[in-house]
Amino acid sequence: MQLFILRHAEAEPHASSDFARNLTPTGRAQLTQVANRHLQELGSISQVWVSPYVRTQQTLEHIRALMPAGVAIQTTEDLTPDSPVQLLIPLLEKSKGDKVLLISHQPLVGEAVSRLCGLAPGYYRLGTSALTHIDLPLLGFGQGQVCFCDQP
């Protein structure tokens, strides 16, 4: 599996709730920069899993036109900021195709990269709009290899 992990773009610091925070103009611009550097990868995604939070949904919508028309998109509570990283393997087992994009939050995205690749916690510090590509030949923790980690 080729796994792409995208942290949502920069969001406003305050809203009525953490769930409701919107992307900032700076966040949208940074996301565009990262996405434009990876048009080929995004153009071959077969499945997208995304958190239900407003900022992750807006991140998906901002890059949606770069993905194939028939890409399968699923919103899941398993990708919220406080979700345990252990939920990733069962989630990925349900994925369609071999190129999967997860759109989520810190600390989950950082923990996911570390655990999937057998790295020390915090090895990659993923800022907003960071896109990480992991080659995951076997589905499990410690089985992956980071191909790139691109940040604005």
Side-chain angles (χ1 to χ4, degrees):
M1 171 183 289
Q2 299 302 307
L3 179 62
F4 298 87
I5 299 176
L6 176 63
R7 183 175 176 200
H8 64 81
E10 178 186 87
E12 61 192 359
H14 303 289
S16 60
S17 69
D18 186 41
F19 180 91
R21 291 171 50 211
N22 288 294
L23 297 185
T24 65
T26 298
R28 291 177 188 278
Q30 291 174 336
L31 179 59
T32 297
Q33 290 172 355
V34 171
N36 283 338
R37 290 193 294 263
H38 300 285
L39 294 173
Q40 183 175 0
E41 291 91 345
L42 293 171
S44 63
I45 295 294
S46 53
Q47 170 84 49
V48 178
W49 293 95
V50 60
S51 160
Y53 281 48
V54 169
R55 61 190 178 270
T56 52
Q57 294 289 320
Q58 289 175 340
T59 296
L60 171 62
E61 288 309 310
H62 192 74
I63 62 170
R64 178 69 186 91
L66 304 176
M67 290 182 257
V71 67
I73 297 173
Q74 184 70 40
T75 297
T76 178
E77 295 284 336
D78 292 346
L79 294 176
T80 60
D82 298 322
S83 295
V85 72
Q86 292 82 359
L87 296 178
L88 281 183
I89 300 303
L91 180 75
L92 293 173
E93 287 174 339
K94 296 185 258 180
S95 295
K96 299 173 180 154
D98 65 342
K99 293 188 179 179
V100 177
L101 172 64
L102 303 179
I103 304 174
S104 189
H105 314 261
Q106 276 289 66
L108 181 61
V109 293
E111 290 178 30
V113 172
S114 296
R115 291 285 305 274
L116 289 168
C117 298
L119 301 168
Y123 188 85
Y124 282 99
R125 296 187 58 150
L126 303 178
T128 54
S129 297
L131 179 64
T132 305
H133 174 197
I134 299 173
D135 180 24
L136 196 59
L138 298 172
L139 194 52
F141 293 124
Q143 301 299 313
Q145 175 71 39
V146 173
C147 299
F148 67 74
C149 181
D150 189 356
Q151 305 198 53

